[in-house]
mmCIF file of all heavy atoms in Angstrom:
data_model
loop_
_atom_site.group_PDB
_atom_site.id
_atom_site.type_symbol
_atom_site.label_atom_id
_atom_site.label_comp_id
_atom_site.label_asym_id
_atom_site.label_seq_id
_atom_site.Cartn_x
_atom_site.Cartn_y
_atom_site.Cartn_z
ATOM 1 N N TYR A 1213 0.895 -1.171 0.003
ATOM 2 C CA TYR A 1213 0.017 0.026 -0.002
ATOM 3 C C TYR A 1213 0.864 1.260 0.016
ATOM 4 O O TYR A 1213 1.957 1.196 0.537
ATOM 5 C CB TYR A 1213 -0.850 0.057 1.244
ATOM 6 C CG TYR A 1213 -1.899 -0.959 1.410
ATOM 7 C CD1 TYR A 1213 -2.030 -2.031 0.604
ATOM 8 C CD2 TYR A 1213 -2.720 -0.860 2.531
ATOM 9 C CE1 TYR A 1213 -3.033 -2.969 0.858
ATOM 10 C CE2 TYR A 1213 -3.733 -1.827 2.834
ATOM 11 C CZ TYR A 1213 -3.859 -2.886 1.926
ATOM 12 O OH TYR A 1213 -4.810 -3.800 2.116
ATOM 13 N N VAL A 1214 0.321 2.355 -0.523
ATOM 14 C CA VAL A 1214 1.019 3.640 -0.322
ATOM 15 C C VAL A 1214 1.037 3.862 1.161
ATOM 16 O O VAL A 1214 -0.024 3.815 1.801
ATOM 17 C CB VAL A 1214 0.295 4.789 -1.033
ATOM 18 C CG1 VAL A 1214 0.800 6.189 -0.633
ATOM 19 C CG2 VAL A 1214 0.385 4.650 -2.611
ATOM 20 N N TYR A 1215 2.208 4.162 1.699
ATOM 21 C CA TYR A 1215 2.410 4.430 3.125
ATOM 22 C C TYR A 1215 1.521 5.670 3.460
ATOM 23 O O TYR A 1215 1.568 6.648 2.752
ATOM 24 C CB TYR A 1215 3.856 4.621 3.449
ATOM 25 C CG TYR A 1215 4.091 4.982 4.925
ATOM 26 C CD1 TYR A 1215 3.871 4.037 5.887
ATOM 27 C CD2 TYR A 1215 4.508 6.290 5.266
ATOM 28 C CE1 TYR A 1215 4.137 4.363 7.198
ATOM 29 C CE2 TYR A 1215 4.765 6.554 6.584
ATOM 30 C CZ TYR A 1215 4.539 5.649 7.609
ATOM 31 O OH TYR A 1215 4.756 5.964 8.874
ATOM 32 N N TYR A 1216 0.733 5.626 4.576
ATOM 33 C CA TYR A 1216 -0.265 6.639 4.809
ATOM 34 C C TYR A 1216 0.368 8.016 4.984
ATOM 35 O O TYR A 1216 -0.213 9.052 4.602
ATOM 36 C CB TYR A 1216 -1.029 6.293 6.070
ATOM 37 C CG TYR A 1216 -0.268 6.478 7.429
ATOM 38 C CD1 TYR A 1216 -0.370 7.618 8.122
ATOM 39 C CD2 TYR A 1216 0.560 5.424 7.898
ATOM 40 C CE1 TYR A 1216 0.372 7.781 9.320
ATOM 41 C CE2 TYR A 1216 1.259 5.571 9.098
ATOM 42 C CZ TYR A 1216 1.203 6.785 9.763
ATOM 43 O OH TYR A 1216 1.909 6.968 10.911
ATOM 44 N N GLY A 1217 1.616 8.161 5.461
ATOM 45 C CA GLY A 1217 2.180 9.420 5.637
ATOM 46 C C GLY A 1217 2.544 10.125 4.328
ATOM 47 O O GLY A 1217 2.696 11.348 4.282
ATOM 48 N N ASN A 1218 2.622 9.380 3.222
ATOM 49 C CA ASN A 1218 2.908 10.008 1.925
ATOM 50 C C ASN A 1218 1.828 10.861 1.375
ATOM 51 O O ASN A 1218 2.010 11.749 0.517
ATOM 52 C CB ASN A 1218 3.276 8.924 0.889
ATOM 53 C CG ASN A 1218 4.626 8.376 1.146
ATOM 54 O OD1 ASN A 1218 5.593 9.102 1.460
ATOM 55 N ND2 ASN A 1218 4.796 7.047 1.093
ATOM 56 N N TYR A 1219 0.614 10.657 1.885
ATOM 57 C CA TYR A 1219 -0.528 11.460 1.455
ATOM 58 C C TYR A 1219 -0.317 12.984 1.779
ATOM 59 O O TYR A 1219 -0.786 13.812 1.038
ATOM 60 C CB TYR A 1219 -1.842 10.946 1.809
ATOM 61 C CG TYR A 1219 -2.228 9.674 1.110
ATOM 62 C CD1 TYR A 1219 -1.998 8.488 1.672
ATOM 63 C CD2 TYR A 1219 -2.642 9.675 -0.165
ATOM 64 C CE1 TYR A 1219 -2.306 7.293 1.020
ATOM 65 C CE2 TYR A 1219 -2.937 8.527 -0.907
ATOM 66 C CZ TYR A 1219 -2.730 7.286 -0.229
ATOM 67 O OH TYR A 1219 -3.028 6.218 -0.935
ATOM 68 N N ALA A 1220 0.368 13.293 2.916
ATOM 69 C CA ALA A 1220 0.647 14.660 3.168
ATOM 70 C C ALA A 1220 1.461 15.315 2.071
ATOM 71 O O ALA A 1220 1.244 16.433 1.667
ATOM 72 C CB ALA A 1220 1.343 14.735 4.546
ATOM 73 N N ALA A 1221 2.430 14.575 1.625
ATOM 74 C CA ALA A 1221 3.274 15.055 0.453
ATOM 75 C C ALA A 1221 2.459 15.202 -0.802
ATOM 76 O O ALA A 1221 2.654 16.143 -1.596
ATOM 77 C CB ALA A 1221 4.514 14.165 0.293
ATOM 78 N N TYR A 1222 1.574 14.203 -1.053
ATOM 79 C CA TYR A 1222 0.735 14.248 -2.214
ATOM 80 C C TYR A 1222 -0.188 15.543 -2.163
ATOM 81 O O TYR A 1222 -0.347 16.236 -3.135
ATOM 82 C CB TYR A 1222 -0.170 13.089 -2.366
ATOM 83 C CG TYR A 1222 0.548 11.776 -2.637
ATOM 84 C CD1 TYR A 1222 -0.116 10.571 -2.617
ATOM 85 C CD2 TYR A 1222 1.916 11.764 -2.966
ATOM 86 C CE1 TYR A 1222 0.568 9.348 -2.939
ATOM 87 C CE2 TYR A 1222 2.579 10.487 -3.234
ATOM 88 C CZ TYR A 1222 1.890 9.369 -3.187
ATOM 89 O OH TYR A 1222 2.549 8.124 -3.477
ATOM 90 N N PHE A 1223 -0.742 15.818 -0.952
ATOM 91 C CA PHE A 1223 -1.561 16.956 -0.806
ATOM 92 C C PHE A 1223 -0.753 18.202 -1.007
ATOM 93 O O PHE A 1223 -1.318 19.181 -1.561
ATOM 94 C CB PHE A 1223 -2.296 16.968 0.600
ATOM 95 C CG PHE A 1223 -3.330 15.900 0.734
ATOM 96 C CD1 PHE A 1223 -3.949 15.772 1.982
ATOM 97 C CD2 PHE A 1223 -3.670 15.028 -0.293
ATOM 98 C CE1 PHE A 1223 -5.000 14.799 2.135
ATOM 99 C CE2 PHE A 1223 -4.701 14.076 -0.129
ATOM 100 C CZ PHE A 1223 -5.338 13.957 1.123
ATOM 101 N N GLU A 1224 0.451 18.244 -0.530
ATOM 102 C CA GLU A 1224 1.264 19.417 -0.701
ATOM 103 C C GLU A 1224 1.495 19.720 -2.208
ATOM 104 O O GLU A 1224 1.396 20.833 -2.624
ATOM 105 C CB GLU A 1224 2.649 19.292 -0.026
ATOM 106 C CG GLU A 1224 3.550 20.485 -0.286
ATOM 107 C CD GLU A 1224 4.906 20.313 0.315
ATOM 108 O OE1 GLU A 1224 5.274 19.232 0.897
ATOM 109 O OE2 GLU A 1224 5.734 21.194 0.166
ATOM 110 N N SER A 1225 1.714 18.641 -2.983
ATOM 111 C CA SER A 1225 1.900 18.766 -4.444
ATOM 112 C C SER A 1225 0.625 19.306 -5.056
ATOM 113 O O SER A 1225 0.734 20.269 -5.866
ATOM 114 C CB SER A 1225 2.207 17.407 -5.055
ATOM 115 O OG SER A 1225 3.543 17.049 -4.715
ATOM 116 N N GLY A 1226 -0.515 18.843 -4.640
ATOM 117 C CA GLY A 1226 -1.792 19.316 -5.125
ATOM 118 C C GLY A 1226 -1.971 20.827 -4.807
ATOM 119 O O GLY A 1226 -2.413 21.573 -5.628
ATOM 120 N N ARG A 1227 -1.638 21.198 -3.586
ATOM 121 C CA ARG A 1227 -1.753 22.574 -3.102
ATOM 122 C C ARG A 1227 -0.892 23.510 -3.896
ATOM 123 O O ARG A 1227 -1.263 24.594 -4.324
ATOM 124 C CB ARG A 1227 -1.481 22.594 -1.573
ATOM 125 C CG ARG A 1227 -1.683 23.904 -0.964
ATOM 126 C CD ARG A 1227 -1.531 23.784 0.536
ATOM 127 N NE ARG A 1227 -0.273 23.371 1.041
ATOM 128 C CZ ARG A 1227 -0.034 22.141 1.553
ATOM 129 N NH1 ARG A 1227 -0.885 21.261 1.762
ATOM 130 N NH2 ARG A 1227 1.183 21.816 2.027
ATOM 131 N N VAL A 1228 0.419 23.125 -4.050
ATOM 132 C CA VAL A 1228 1.364 24.012 -4.750
ATOM 133 C C VAL A 1228 0.946 24.219 -6.179
ATOM 134 O O VAL A 1228 1.041 25.231 -6.688
ATOM 135 C CB VAL A 1228 2.768 23.364 -4.612
ATOM 136 C CG1 VAL A 1228 3.735 24.071 -5.544
ATOM 137 C CG2 VAL A 1228 3.317 23.497 -3.187
ATOM 138 N N GLU A 1229 0.513 23.091 -6.746
ATOM 139 C CA GLU A 1229 0.162 23.095 -8.241
ATOM 140 C C GLU A 1229 -1.160 23.879 -8.419
ATOM 141 O O GLU A 1229 -1.333 24.520 -9.413
ATOM 142 C CB GLU A 1229 0.075 21.723 -8.822
ATOM 143 C CG GLU A 1229 1.495 21.069 -8.901
ATOM 144 C CD GLU A 1229 2.501 21.881 -9.646
ATOM 145 O OE1 GLU A 1229 2.179 22.531 -10.649
ATOM 146 O OE2 GLU A 1229 3.612 21.934 -9.203
ATOM 147 N N ALA A 1230 -2.065 23.789 -7.468
ATOM 148 C CA ALA A 1230 -3.349 24.544 -7.554
ATOM 149 C C ALA A 1230 -3.041 26.054 -7.484
ATOM 150 O O ALA A 1230 -3.613 26.830 -8.206
ATOM 151 C CB ALA A 1230 -4.299 24.199 -6.373
ATOM 152 N N LEU A 1231 -2.158 26.455 -6.623
ATOM 153 C CA LEU A 1231 -1.782 27.887 -6.582
ATOM 154 C C LEU A 1231 -1.008 28.285 -7.794
ATOM 155 O O LEU A 1231 -1.208 29.394 -8.372
ATOM 156 C CB LEU A 1231 -0.907 28.126 -5.330
ATOM 157 C CG LEU A 1231 -1.727 28.003 -4.008
ATOM 158 C CD1 LEU A 1231 -0.735 28.199 -2.773
ATOM 159 C CD2 LEU A 1231 -2.834 29.036 -3.843
ATOM 160 N N ARG A 1232 -0.114 27.396 -8.304
ATOM 161 C CA ARG A 1232 0.611 27.769 -9.500
ATOM 162 C C ARG A 1232 -0.339 27.925 -10.725
ATOM 163 O O ARG A 1232 -0.132 28.877 -11.501
ATOM 164 C CB ARG A 1232 1.614 26.576 -9.848
ATOM 165 C CG ARG A 1232 2.574 26.949 -10.974
ATOM 166 C CD ARG A 1232 3.487 25.759 -11.350
ATOM 167 N NE ARG A 1232 3.968 24.997 -10.328
ATOM 168 C CZ ARG A 1232 5.098 25.331 -9.561
ATOM 169 N NH1 ARG A 1232 5.731 26.450 -9.857
ATOM 170 N NH2 ARG A 1232 5.512 24.543 -8.548
ATOM 171 N N ALA A 1233 -1.383 27.126 -10.804
ATOM 172 C CA ALA A 1233 -2.297 27.197 -11.926
ATOM 173 C C ALA A 1233 -3.098 28.617 -11.810
ATOM 174 O O ALA A 1233 -3.506 29.073 -12.853
ATOM 175 C CB ALA A 1233 -3.364 26.097 -11.820
ATOM 176 N N LEU A 1234 -3.097 29.198 -10.697
ATOM 177 C CA LEU A 1234 -3.713 30.522 -10.491
ATOM 178 C C LEU A 1234 -2.701 31.641 -10.833
ATOM 179 O O LEU A 1234 -3.060 32.818 -10.898
ATOM 180 C CB LEU A 1234 -4.132 30.793 -9.104
ATOM 181 C CG LEU A 1234 -5.438 30.061 -8.624
ATOM 182 C CD1 LEU A 1234 -5.590 30.172 -7.148
ATOM 183 C CD2 LEU A 1234 -6.651 30.720 -9.317
ATOM 184 N N GLY A 1235 -1.442 31.276 -11.024
ATOM 185 C CA GLY A 1235 -0.379 32.294 -11.248
ATOM 186 C C GLY A 1235 0.273 32.713 -9.903
ATOM 187 O O GLY A 1235 0.883 33.736 -9.927
ATOM 188 N N LEU A 1236 0.081 31.955 -8.876
ATOM 189 C CA LEU A 1236 0.767 32.199 -7.618
ATOM 190 C C LEU A 1236 1.879 31.228 -7.351
ATOM 191 O O LEU A 1236 1.769 30.088 -7.817
ATOM 192 C CB LEU A 1236 -0.348 32.135 -6.444
ATOM 193 C CG LEU A 1236 -1.421 33.047 -6.604
ATOM 194 C CD1 LEU A 1236 -2.595 32.721 -5.584
ATOM 195 C CD2 LEU A 1236 -1.059 34.501 -6.255
ATOM 196 N N SER A 1237 2.876 31.649 -6.588
ATOM 197 C CA SER A 1237 3.987 30.762 -6.371
ATOM 198 C C SER A 1237 4.423 30.895 -4.931
ATOM 199 O O SER A 1237 4.606 31.899 -4.403
ATOM 200 C CB SER A 1237 5.187 31.250 -7.265
ATOM 201 O OG SER A 1237 6.423 30.713 -6.812
ATOM 202 N N TYR A 1238 4.552 29.656 -4.336
ATOM 203 C CA TYR A 1238 5.085 29.633 -2.932
ATOM 204 C C TYR A 1238 6.486 30.282 -2.899
ATOM 205 O O TYR A 1238 6.718 31.012 -1.938
ATOM 206 C CB TYR A 1238 5.268 28.114 -2.508
ATOM 207 C CG TYR A 1238 4.157 27.569 -1.695
ATOM 208 C CD1 TYR A 1238 2.818 27.635 -2.019
ATOM 209 C CD2 TYR A 1238 4.462 26.791 -0.601
ATOM 210 C CE1 TYR A 1238 1.822 27.127 -1.259
ATOM 211 C CE2 TYR A 1238 3.506 26.162 0.210
ATOM 212 C CZ TYR A 1238 2.204 26.372 -0.094
ATOM 213 O OH TYR A 1238 1.151 25.832 0.642
ATOM 214 N N ARG A 1239 7.318 29.922 -3.864
ATOM 215 C CA ARG A 1239 8.637 30.614 -3.874
ATOM 216 C C ARG A 1239 8.590 32.098 -3.894
ATOM 217 O O ARG A 1239 9.243 32.710 -3.061
ATOM 218 C CB ARG A 1239 9.434 30.068 -5.055
ATOM 219 C CG ARG A 1239 10.871 30.633 -5.113
ATOM 220 C CD ARG A 1239 11.616 30.175 -6.299
ATOM 221 N NE ARG A 1239 11.807 28.718 -6.144
ATOM 222 C CZ ARG A 1239 12.893 28.147 -6.093
ATOM 223 N NH1 ARG A 1239 13.985 28.826 -6.117
ATOM 224 N NH2 ARG A 1239 12.998 26.812 -5.955
ATOM 225 N N VAL A 1240 7.730 32.626 -4.689
ATOM 226 C CA VAL A 1240 7.594 34.125 -4.800
ATOM 227 C C VAL A 1240 7.087 34.671 -3.478
ATOM 228 O O VAL A 1240 7.590 35.679 -2.999
ATOM 229 C CB VAL A 1240 6.769 34.547 -6.028
ATOM 230 C CG1 VAL A 1240 6.495 36.001 -5.958
ATOM 231 C CG2 VAL A 1240 7.546 34.152 -7.304
ATOM 232 N N MET A 1241 6.081 33.987 -2.895
ATOM 233 C CA MET A 1241 5.499 34.470 -1.694
ATOM 234 C C MET A 1241 6.581 34.472 -0.612
ATOM 235 O O MET A 1241 6.692 35.461 0.144
ATOM 236 C CB MET A 1241 4.332 33.522 -1.173
ATOM 237 C CG MET A 1241 3.048 33.978 -1.736
ATOM 238 S SD MET A 1241 1.602 33.341 -0.860
ATOM 239 C CE MET A 1241 1.811 31.542 -1.113
ATOM 240 N N GLU A 1242 7.373 33.424 -0.548
ATOM 241 C CA GLU A 1242 8.502 33.421 0.445
ATOM 242 C C GLU A 1242 9.531 34.463 0.263
ATOM 243 O O GLU A 1242 9.995 35.105 1.159
ATOM 244 C CB GLU A 1242 9.089 32.004 0.501
ATOM 245 C CG GLU A 1242 8.166 30.987 1.149
ATOM 246 C CD GLU A 1242 8.778 29.602 1.286
ATOM 247 O OE1 GLU A 1242 9.900 29.343 0.705
ATOM 248 O OE2 GLU A 1242 8.152 28.753 1.852
ATOM 249 N N GLU A 1243 9.851 34.731 -1.083
ATOM 250 C CA GLU A 1243 10.787 35.737 -1.439
ATOM 251 C C GLU A 1243 10.233 37.176 -0.998
ATOM 252 O O GLU A 1243 10.988 38.001 -0.666
ATOM 253 C CB GLU A 1243 11.091 35.736 -2.872
ATOM 254 C CG GLU A 1243 11.976 34.520 -3.301
ATOM 255 C CD GLU A 1243 12.136 34.339 -4.739
ATOM 256 O OE1 GLU A 1243 11.467 35.063 -5.579
ATOM 257 O OE2 GLU A 1243 12.918 33.406 -5.166
ATOM 258 N N GLN A 1244 8.894 37.270 -0.972
ATOM 259 C CA GLN A 1244 8.263 38.530 -0.626
ATOM 260 C C GLN A 1244 7.976 38.586 0.857
ATOM 261 O O GLN A 1244 7.343 39.527 1.396
ATOM 262 C CB GLN A 1244 6.907 38.679 -1.436
ATOM 263 C CG GLN A 1244 7.191 38.862 -2.893
ATOM 264 C CD GLN A 1244 5.880 38.866 -3.740
ATOM 265 O OE1 GLN A 1244 4.822 38.472 -3.238
ATOM 266 N NE2 GLN A 1244 5.982 39.379 -4.945
ATOM 267 N N GLY A 1245 8.440 37.574 1.624
ATOM 268 C CA GLY A 1245 8.394 37.630 3.090
ATOM 269 C C GLY A 1245 7.241 36.972 3.695
ATOM 270 O O GLY A 1245 6.952 37.216 4.900
ATOM 271 N N VAL A 1246 6.480 36.081 3.015
ATOM 272 C CA VAL A 1246 5.384 35.372 3.589
ATOM 273 C C VAL A 1246 5.488 33.882 3.392
ATOM 274 O O VAL A 1246 5.850 33.374 2.353
ATOM 275 C CB VAL A 1246 4.095 35.896 2.866
ATOM 276 C CG1 VAL A 1246 2.829 35.126 3.430
ATOM 277 C CG2 VAL A 1246 3.836 37.357 3.033
ATOM 278 N N MET A 1247 5.219 33.177 4.531
ATOM 279 C CA MET A 1247 5.289 31.625 4.510
ATOM 280 C C MET A 1247 3.896 31.167 4.767
ATOM 281 O O MET A 1247 3.031 31.921 5.237
ATOM 282 C CB MET A 1247 6.208 31.153 5.559
ATOM 283 C CG MET A 1247 7.711 31.423 5.296
ATOM 284 S SD MET A 1247 8.754 30.593 6.471
ATOM 285 C CE MET A 1247 8.265 31.378 8.001
ATOM 286 N N LEU A 1248 3.598 29.894 4.567
ATOM 287 C CA LEU A 1248 2.329 29.334 4.693
ATOM 288 C C LEU A 1248 2.358 27.974 5.429
ATOM 289 O O LEU A 1248 2.089 26.918 4.837
ATOM 290 C CB LEU A 1248 1.707 29.168 3.357
ATOM 291 C CG LEU A 1248 0.185 28.955 3.207
ATOM 292 C CD1 LEU A 1248 -0.603 30.054 3.962
ATOM 293 C CD2 LEU A 1248 -0.257 28.922 1.738
#
């Protein structure tokens, strides 16, 4: 089975890509002084 803890990483990928599809970037937010 997929080890249960890996779903946190899968969700992170989904979250990062959902924001990227909007034209938003975690990297840019962090460079601008904001973390999530």
